[in-house]
Structure formats: C-alpha cells, structure tokens
Amino acid sequence: MMLSSVVGPIALGTHRRKSYISLNLESEALPPLPEIKSADLRKQIFTHRSVHARPTAIFEDSPDDPSPDNEALEHLGDSVLNMVVTSLLQEVYPYLRVGPSTKIRSLVVGNYTLATITRVYRLNDRIRSHPAQEIALRASSNIQADVFEAYVGGLFKDRGLEVVKAWLHPLFRPYIVEAYRVVRIEHGLSPDPEPQPPRLRAGDSPSSAPSRLSPSIGHLSLFNQYLQQKNMVVEWVYTDSAGEGTKTTPIWIVRAMVDEQCFGRGRGNTKKAAKNEAAKEGLRKMGVYVPQPSNPQTV
C-alpha cells in the first residue's frame, strides 16, 4: 500500500530551531522493510560504537580487524539517501531550481523525519549499545536517524541501488510533495502552483489545445459547479491547526472529501480561502484547467 494514500495531514514546526515536516504514519502503511540477507551486515547496522569502544583518533582500521560498529554504514547510507531523494525530487518536480530543491531535500531527510520513520519500523528496538547507555541511546532522535542511514547503507551494500530505490521512492514521495508545499509558502507563493496549459507540438493547431476556462470564475464556485454536474457531494473537513497562525490571523486547514476520497487540501487565513485552495487541487484531480488571469493589454 502506498504511504500517500493513508497518511494524515502534515505539520510544519521547529525542532532545535530547524524546520521539520511530520506525517501521521501507521506501520501497516509503510512500504515493507527490505530484508538484509547478510547476517554480518544485519549485526553491524544496529551496533553502536559504544559496544566496542574503539578509539576515535585512529586514521584507518587494519584489514584484519575492521571496525564492527555502524558508523561506516551510516556514512554510506547518508550519501545513498541524499542521492535517491535528489533523483526522486527531480523526477517529481523536474523544473525546480537548485535552491528550493536543497531546502526541500533538507526537510525530507532531516533527523526528525528519519527518526520518526525509524520508530515506526521499530528499528530503534534493535540498537545494540553499551548497557549503561542503552535506554538513552535508543531514545535519542539523532541515534535513531543514524540507524536509518546505516540500514540504507547496509541494504545498498547487500542488495544494490535498485532495491534501495524500490523501497525509498514510495516511502519518501509523500514527504517530498508536502515539503514542496511548505517551501513554496516560505518563498511567499501559494502552496500549489497554478496549472499551466500544455505546449503545442509541431503540427498542432490552437484549436486542438484544451479550451480555457474563464479566469474570473473562482476555483471554489467552479469546483462546486462541476460536482453538481456529476451529482457528487463534497464534505469539507477541517483539520486541527493548533500552533499555526495567531488569534487575530488564524490558519484554517481543510480537506475536500468526495465519496470518502480526498479530492484536495487547502490552507488559508479564512475558511473560504482554505476551501478555494482545496477546490483548486480538486479541479486538477478532475482534469479541469483554470488559467492564470492575463495582464490587460494596453491599447
């Protein structure tokens, strides 16, 4: 089951003065955790350096006595994870510039996200550490994130990049989509871009392009019109927005539910503005193109 079909609303917050995103995860909704076939790698992935207390100032291990902890796998997994997420980000949003792309990736692969996923998979329960530090290390978000990266590194060494991608793509796609919306807001843009008309190919006539709808019609009213034509009923479900906005400028978060399916989500300073954003997404889901108003020409 794809994670995006069952996750709850996203939250944006700060953790140690850094932004983070959070999805309401359920263990049965996650992509299955790929098996590490090598017993040695499985053991190494979950072995914290406190178990063997190797000196940290050594430049290089002996070939006959490599370090048994997970730091090398964590280092490898960090690089693999960044590469896979960057590639997926370019696949989902191929025209995104490098600056916003870097911000989105930072949200997606941040320690808060990785630690949350680790806990849902219960990987933290398998951490091996010095008995005196076991409780504290298993509860540490940084250590939990490190274990996830070590698992990615171990899986890459054990079964290759394609297996890693088959696991991480469905896992992180919902995070990429929501982080994209968050970073757009940070840039002073609406959460979702206005749909653009498809470019005409050579030999196409203007009449073959989709008909444009009047930009003067609001997304909300147009959305309601289309639903009425199809004998569909929409239910507007408002989500808790605690911690967002202020008393004088609240933030409303709403979902447009049609036949128990979410057709769109929106947020705004008023209920109508939030519903309009959700309606915009709903129109796209129904294949309706609404162009941006063009600037009036000077005569």
Side-chain angles (χ1 to χ4, degrees):
M1 182 184 299
M2 289 291 292
L3 177 64
S4 56
S5 64
V6 294
V7 295
I10 188 160
L12 171 65
T14 56
H15 183 62
R16 295 185 178 179
R17 297 184 179 180
K18 292 183 179 180
S19 297
Y20 67 89
I21 53 174
S22 175
L23 293 172
N24 294 331
L25 301 180
E26 299 176 10
S27 58
E28 63 270 18
L30 293 173
L33 187 69
E35 179 187 1
I36 304 290
K37 296 183 178 181
S38 166
D40 290 339
L41 279 175
R42 285 200 303 270
K43 182 178 181 180
Q44 185 180 1
I45 286 168
F46 297 103
T47 301
H48 187 261
R49 65 178 180 270
S50 63
V51 173
H52 300 281
R54 288 285 183 96
T56 58
I58 295 177
F59 181 79
E60 188 173 12
D61 288 327
S62 167
D64 299 328
D65 187 26
S67 180
D69 61 53
N70 63 7
E71 286 192 329
L73 291 178
E74 173 202 335
H75 182 66
L76 174 62
D78 176 68
S79 298
V80 174
L81 180 61
N82 275 279
M83 180 190 67
V84 170
V85 169
T86 301
S87 176
L88 179 60
L89 187 53
Q90 292 180 353
E91 176 185 315
V92 177
Y93 300 108
Y95 308 113
L96 197 61
R97 300 301 296 269
V98 171
S101 177
T102 301
K103 291 182 180 180
I104 293 171
R105 186 182 64 188
S106 178
L107 283 173
V108 171
V109 302
N111 278 1
Y112 183 91
T113 301
L114 303 186
T116 301
I117 295 172
T118 294
R119 292 192 296 271
V120 178
Y121 276 122
R122 302 188 69 85
L123 297 179
N124 53 312
D125 293 343
R126 299 159 67 179
I127 295 174
R128 299 174 61 245
S129 63
H130 189 281
Q133 298 176 278
E134 183 176 1
I135 295 177
L137 289 176
R138 286 188 177 185
S140 167
S141 293
N142 290 340
I143 299 300
Q144 291 168 2
D146 292 345
V147 167
F148 183 86
E149 291 174 340
Y151 200 96
V152 172
L155 182 63
F156 175 77
K157 290 190 69 173
D158 191 53
R159 301 181 61 184
L161 181 60
E162 292 306 312
V163 173
V164 173
K165 290 168 64 176
W167 171 42
L168 296 185
H169 276 204
L171 177 60
F172 282 105
R173 188 179 294 268
Y175 282 98
I176 284 176
V177 171
E178 297 300 344
Y180 173 82
R181 292 166 58 88
V182 168
V183 173
R184 280 186 61 87
I185 293 172
E186 290 179 352
H187 280 247
L189 304 171
S190 64
D192 300 293
E194 294 286 346
Q196 298 296 322
R199 294 183 178 181
L200 293 178
R201 295 172 296 181
D204 288 345
S205 63
S207 60
S208 65
S211 60
R212 290 172 172 255
L213 298 169
S214 170
S216 63
I217 302 177
H219 295 95
L220 182 56
S221 59
L222 186 60
F223 181 57
N224 288 330
Q225 289 178 26
Y226 268 79
L227 291 178
Q228 290 173 6
Q229 292 172 8
K230 296 177 181 293
N231 293 319
M232 294 178 172
V233 178
V234 60
E235 178 185 3
W236 300 100
V237 179
Y238 290 92
T239 305
D240 181 21
S241 59
E244 298 193 52
T246 64
K247 291 183 178 180
T248 57
T249 309
I251 297 295
W252 299 94
I253 303 174
V254 68
R255 287 180 292 157
M257 304 297 297
V258 180
D259 294 333
E260 298 184 353
Q261 294 185 28
C262 180
F263 267 44
R265 287 181 292 179
R267 56 192 292 144
N269 293 335
T270 65
K271 287 186 176 181
K272 185 174 182 180
K275 289 167 68 174
N276 195 66
E277 288 294 329
K280 187 191 306 182
E281 193 172 296
L283 287 169
R284 285 202 300 272
K285 185 178 181 70
M286 292 190 291
V288 180
Y289 165 59
V290 182
Q292 297 184 35
S294 57
N295 293 327
Q297 296 181 352
T298 303
V299 179

